[in-house]
Short mmCIF file of all heavy atoms in Angstrom, two decimals:
data_model
loop_
_atom_site.label_atom_id
_atom_site.label_comp_id
_atom_site.label_asym_id
_atom_site.label_seq_id
_atom_site.Cartn_x
_atom_site.Cartn_y
_atom_site.Cartn_z
N VAL A 1360 -10.75 -5.64 -9.51
CA VAL A 1360 -11.25 -6.84 -8.84
C VAL A 1360 -12.70 -7.08 -9.28
O VAL A 1360 -13.57 -6.22 -9.05
CB VAL A 1360 -11.18 -6.71 -7.30
CG1 VAL A 1360 -11.78 -7.94 -6.63
CG2 VAL A 1360 -9.74 -6.51 -6.84
N ASP A 1361 -12.93 -8.22 -9.91
CA ASP A 1361 -14.30 -8.61 -10.31
C ASP A 1361 -15.00 -7.51 -11.10
O ASP A 1361 -16.17 -7.18 -10.85
CB ASP A 1361 -15.13 -8.99 -9.07
CG ASP A 1361 -14.54 -10.17 -8.31
OD1 ASP A 1361 -13.90 -11.03 -8.95
OD2 ASP A 1361 -14.71 -10.22 -7.08
N GLY A 1362 -14.28 -6.91 -12.03
CA GLY A 1362 -14.87 -5.90 -12.89
C GLY A 1362 -14.98 -4.52 -12.28
O GLY A 1362 -15.49 -3.60 -12.92
N GLN A 1363 -14.51 -4.36 -11.04
CA GLN A 1363 -14.52 -3.05 -10.39
C GLN A 1363 -13.10 -2.56 -10.14
O GLN A 1363 -12.18 -3.36 -10.02
CB GLN A 1363 -15.26 -3.14 -9.05
CG GLN A 1363 -16.74 -3.45 -9.15
CD GLN A 1363 -17.40 -3.41 -7.79
OE1 GLN A 1363 -16.88 -3.95 -6.82
NE2 GLN A 1363 -18.56 -2.77 -7.71
N THR A 1364 -12.95 -1.25 -10.06
CA THR A 1364 -11.66 -0.66 -9.71
C THR A 1364 -11.66 -0.34 -8.22
O THR A 1364 -12.47 0.48 -7.76
CB THR A 1364 -11.40 0.62 -10.52
OG1 THR A 1364 -11.36 0.29 -11.91
CG2 THR A 1364 -10.07 1.25 -10.11
N ILE A 1365 -10.80 -1.02 -7.47
CA ILE A 1365 -10.73 -0.82 -6.02
C ILE A 1365 -9.78 0.32 -5.71
O ILE A 1365 -8.61 0.31 -6.11
CB ILE A 1365 -10.26 -2.11 -5.31
CG1 ILE A 1365 -11.20 -3.27 -5.63
CG2 ILE A 1365 -10.17 -1.88 -3.80
CD1 ILE A 1365 -12.63 -3.07 -5.20
N ARG A 1366 -10.31 1.31 -4.99
CA ARG A 1366 -9.50 2.43 -4.51
C ARG A 1366 -9.43 2.34 -2.99
O ARG A 1366 -10.38 1.91 -2.35
CB ARG A 1366 -10.10 3.77 -4.94
CG ARG A 1366 -10.21 3.91 -6.45
CD ARG A 1366 -10.81 5.23 -6.88
NE ARG A 1366 -10.96 5.27 -8.32
CZ ARG A 1366 -9.99 5.61 -9.19
NH1 ARG A 1366 -8.81 5.96 -8.69
NH2 ARG A 1366 -10.20 5.60 -10.48
N PHE A 1367 -8.31 2.77 -2.43
CA PHE A 1367 -8.06 2.56 -1.00
C PHE A 1367 -8.17 3.84 -0.21
O PHE A 1367 -7.68 4.91 -0.62
CB PHE A 1367 -6.68 1.93 -0.81
CG PHE A 1367 -6.56 0.58 -1.48
CD1 PHE A 1367 -5.85 0.45 -2.67
CD2 PHE A 1367 -7.17 -0.54 -0.94
CE1 PHE A 1367 -5.75 -0.78 -3.30
CE2 PHE A 1367 -7.09 -1.77 -1.56
CZ PHE A 1367 -6.37 -1.89 -2.74
N ASP A 1368 -8.80 3.71 0.98
CA ASP A 1368 -8.94 4.85 1.87
C ASP A 1368 -7.70 5.05 2.74
O ASP A 1368 -7.44 6.17 3.20
CB ASP A 1368 -10.16 4.65 2.78
CG ASP A 1368 -11.46 4.63 1.98
OD1 ASP A 1368 -11.73 5.62 1.28
OD2 ASP A 1368 -12.19 3.61 2.06
N ALA A 1369 -6.96 3.99 3.01
CA ALA A 1369 -5.74 4.07 3.82
C ALA A 1369 -4.91 2.82 3.58
O ALA A 1369 -5.41 1.82 3.04
CB ALA A 1369 -6.08 4.20 5.31
N VAL A 1370 -3.66 2.90 4.01
CA VAL A 1370 -2.72 1.79 3.82
C VAL A 1370 -2.15 1.38 5.17
O VAL A 1370 -1.70 2.22 5.95
CB VAL A 1370 -1.56 2.19 2.88
CG1 VAL A 1370 -0.59 1.03 2.70
CG2 VAL A 1370 -2.10 2.65 1.53
N LEU A 1371 -2.21 0.08 5.44
CA LEU A 1371 -1.57 -0.50 6.62
C LEU A 1371 -0.24 -1.06 6.16
O LEU A 1371 -0.19 -2.02 5.39
CB LEU A 1371 -2.46 -1.60 7.21
CG LEU A 1371 -1.93 -2.43 8.37
CD1 LEU A 1371 -1.52 -1.55 9.55
CD2 LEU A 1371 -2.97 -3.45 8.82
N ILE A 1372 0.84 -0.43 6.60
CA ILE A 1372 2.17 -0.80 6.10
C ILE A 1372 2.78 -1.89 6.97
O ILE A 1372 2.96 -1.72 8.18
CB ILE A 1372 3.09 0.43 6.03
CG1 ILE A 1372 2.55 1.40 4.97
CG2 ILE A 1372 4.53 0.02 5.70
CD1 ILE A 1372 3.38 2.64 4.76
N GLY A 1373 3.11 -3.02 6.32
CA GLY A 1373 3.74 -4.15 7.01
C GLY A 1373 5.02 -4.60 6.36
O GLY A 1373 5.39 -5.77 6.47
N ILE A 1374 5.70 -3.69 5.66
CA ILE A 1374 6.95 -4.04 4.97
C ILE A 1374 8.13 -3.58 5.82
O ILE A 1374 8.28 -2.40 6.11
CB ILE A 1374 7.03 -3.39 3.58
CG1 ILE A 1374 5.97 -4.00 2.66
CG2 ILE A 1374 8.42 -3.57 2.98
CD1 ILE A 1374 5.96 -3.40 1.27
N HIS A 1375 8.98 -4.53 6.19
CA HIS A 1375 10.24 -4.22 6.87
C HIS A 1375 11.32 -4.04 5.82
O HIS A 1375 11.39 -4.80 4.85
CB HIS A 1375 10.61 -5.34 7.83
CG HIS A 1375 9.49 -5.75 8.74
ND1 HIS A 1375 8.91 -4.87 9.64
CD2 HIS A 1375 8.82 -6.92 8.88
CE1 HIS A 1375 7.93 -5.48 10.29
NE2 HIS A 1375 7.85 -6.73 9.84
N GLY A 1376 12.19 -3.04 6.01
CA GLY A 1376 13.20 -2.76 5.00
C GLY A 1376 12.61 -1.95 3.86
O GLY A 1376 11.49 -1.43 3.92
N THR A 1377 13.37 -1.83 2.78
CA THR A 1377 12.94 -1.05 1.62
C THR A 1377 11.87 -1.82 0.83
O THR A 1377 11.94 -3.04 0.74
CB THR A 1377 14.15 -0.70 0.73
OG1 THR A 1377 13.75 0.24 -0.26
CG2 THR A 1377 14.76 -1.91 0.07
N PRO A 1378 10.87 -1.14 0.26
CA PRO A 1378 10.61 0.30 0.25
C PRO A 1378 9.60 0.75 1.30
O PRO A 1378 9.14 1.89 1.24
CB PRO A 1378 10.05 0.51 -1.15
CG PRO A 1378 9.19 -0.73 -1.35
CD PRO A 1378 9.97 -1.86 -0.69
N GLY A 1379 9.26 -0.11 2.27
CA GLY A 1379 8.20 0.23 3.20
C GLY A 1379 8.63 0.90 4.48
O GLY A 1379 7.80 1.46 5.19
N GLU A 1380 9.95 0.84 4.78
CA GLU A 1380 10.41 1.39 6.06
C GLU A 1380 11.37 2.55 5.87
O GLU A 1380 11.75 3.20 6.84
CB GLU A 1380 11.10 0.27 6.86
CG GLU A 1380 11.24 0.56 8.33
CD GLU A 1380 11.69 -0.66 9.14
OE1 GLU A 1380 11.95 -1.73 8.54
OE2 GLU A 1380 11.79 -0.54 10.36
N ASP A 1381 11.75 2.83 4.65
CA ASP A 1381 12.77 3.86 4.39
C ASP A 1381 12.21 5.12 3.76
O ASP A 1381 12.97 5.98 3.31
CB ASP A 1381 13.88 3.28 3.49
CG ASP A 1381 13.37 2.72 2.17
OD1 ASP A 1381 12.14 2.78 1.93
OD2 ASP A 1381 14.19 2.20 1.39
N GLY A 1382 10.89 5.24 3.69
CA GLY A 1382 10.28 6.47 3.21
C GLY A 1382 9.85 6.45 1.75
O GLY A 1382 9.12 7.34 1.32
N LYS A 1383 10.28 5.43 0.99
CA LYS A 1383 9.96 5.42 -0.44
C LYS A 1383 8.45 5.25 -0.67
O LYS A 1383 7.84 6.01 -1.43
CB LYS A 1383 10.74 4.32 -1.15
CG LYS A 1383 12.25 4.56 -1.18
CD LYS A 1383 12.94 3.46 -1.97
CE LYS A 1383 14.45 3.74 -2.12
NZ LYS A 1383 15.16 3.63 -0.86
N LEU A 1384 7.84 4.26 -0.05
CA LEU A 1384 6.40 4.08 -0.21
C LEU A 1384 5.63 5.25 0.39
O LEU A 1384 4.60 5.68 -0.15
CB LEU A 1384 5.95 2.78 0.45
CG LEU A 1384 6.01 1.50 -0.38
CD1 LEU A 1384 5.42 0.34 0.41
CD2 LEU A 1384 5.29 1.65 -1.71
N GLN A 1385 6.14 5.77 1.51
CA GLN A 1385 5.44 6.88 2.16
C GLN A 1385 5.38 8.09 1.22
O GLN A 1385 4.34 8.76 1.13
CB GLN A 1385 6.15 7.23 3.47
CG GLN A 1385 5.94 6.23 4.58
CD GLN A 1385 6.85 5.01 4.49
OE1 GLN A 1385 7.67 4.88 3.58
NE2 GLN A 1385 6.71 4.10 5.45
#
């Protein structure tokens, strides 16, 4: 983003169904 590499401290999961609710993303 804008010449920088954004790294994340945590993830707020808002996906219903696969892959956010079935363990794949986790």
Side-chain angles (χ1 to χ4, degrees):
V1360 177
D1361 299 330
Q1363 294 184 315
T1364 298
I1365 302 300
R1366 301 180 183 276
F1367 299 104
D1368 295 303
V1370 180
L1371 174 56
I1372 294 182
I1374 293 179
H1375 310 299
T1377 190
E1380 198 170 3
D1381 56 1
K1383 293 183 175 69
L1384 273 184
Q1385 288 81 0

